[in-house]
Amino acid sequence: GQSLEQPSEVTAVEGAIVQINCTYQTSGFYGLSWYQQHDGGAPTFLSYNALDGLEETGRFSSFLSRSDSYGYLLLQELQMKDSASYFCAQGGTGGGNKLTFGTGTQLKVEL
Amino acid sequence: EAGVTQFPSHSVIEKGQTVTLRCDPISGHDNLYWYRRVMGKEIKFLLHFVKESKQDESGMPNNRFLAERTGGTYSTLKVQPAELEDSGVYFCASSQAGSNEQFFGPGTRLTVL
C-alpha cells in the first residue's frame, strides 16, 4: 500500500518562510508532486521531484530525499493568497501514473 | 486555452437515484483521470483513461460506478444507485502523454441524501 503523511495545519505570518513536510511509505516510487488547492477550487500543480534535491520555481521550492522517504515544500515571502491546502502526491512520472495524495496541509497566512 | 471543465458543479440526489457526472479534458490530452475527495479525507484515485481505453480502474469503489470515455474525448462517471457514502467532491484531471503535470477541473460536489 501507499501512504503519505503531512501535518494537518500550519500557520505563518505574511512575508515569512514556511516548510510543509511529507513523509511517505510506498511499494514503488514514481516521483513526488505538490498541488495547491484553494477552498472550493481545483487542485493546481506546483512542482515535481523525480530525483533527490531541490527544485525551485519562483517563491516555491520542493525537496526530495528518496533514502529518507521524505520531501517538503518550501514557500518563501508568504502572501495572504498562499492560504490554501497543500498536498503532496506520489506518482505522475512519465505521464500515465495515477496520483496518490497525502493527507493535505491547511496553510493559514496571517498578517 | 480552456481548462478542464466538469458538469454539473453541484448535484443533490436521494439515495437510490442515478447521477451522471461529465468531464471535458483539455483538448489533446490523452490521459484522463477521475478522483474523489470524501469530506475530511484525502483525494483518492478512481480510474485512468488513455484515450478511450481504461488504463487503471483499481480505485473504483464498486460496480455501482461506471466510467466511460467514448471517442477518447469527454468522459462520464455514472453512479447507480447512489448511496450516502458516495457524497463528496469528484475531480477530473487530464494530462498530456509523457507529462508529470495533471490539470484538474473544479470538481462536482455530490450530495446524496
Side-chain angles (χ1 to χ4, degrees), chain A residues 4 30 33 35 37 40-46 48 50 85 87 91-104, chain B residues 31 33 35 37 41-45 48 50 55-56 58-59 91 95-107 109:
Chain A
L4 296 93
Y30 299 100
S33 301
Y35 283 78
Q37 185 187 26
T44 55
F45 174 83
L46 294 176
Y48 172 76
S85 292
F87 295 89
T93 187
N97 285 344
K98 64 186 181 187
L99 292 173
T100 299
F101 282 88
T103 50
Chain B
N31 293 298
Y33 307 82
Y35 295 88
R37 188 176 191 191
K41 305 244 174 127
E42 61 266 33
I43 301 170
K44 292 220 170 201
F45 167 81
H48 169 210
V50 176
Q55 181 78 9
D56 181 352
S58 61
F91 290 103
S95 71
Q96 290 181 313
S99 172
N100 299 315
E101 181 177 358
Q102 294 186 20
F103 294 82
F104 281 75
R109 183 173 295 278

Side-chain angles (χ1 to χ4, degrees), chain A residues 24-98:
Chain A
Y24 60 86
Q25 293 181 334
T26 61
S27 55
F29 184 74
Y30 299 100
L32 194 70
S33 301
W34 287 91
Y35 283 78
Q36 178 193 61
Q37 185 187 26
H38 286 97
D39 277 348
T44 55
F45 174 83
L46 294 176
S47 68
Y48 172 76
N49 294 70
L51 303 174
D52 292 352
L54 193 68
E55 293 283 340
E56 297 181 72
T57 309
R59 294 189 297 115
F60 295 176
S61 303
S62 58
F63 173 82
L64 175 65
S65 170
R66 288 173 296 170
S67 60
D68 295 323
S69 297
Y70 163 75
Y72 66 72
L73 179 70
L74 191 73
L75 296 86
Q76 302 182 72
E77 300 172 21
L78 278 177
Q79 302 175 9
M80 297 297 289
K81 67 178 182 180
D82 296 330
S83 292
S85 292
Y86 292 84
F87 295 89
C88 59
Q90 192 264 152
T93 187
N97 285 344
K98 64 186 181 187

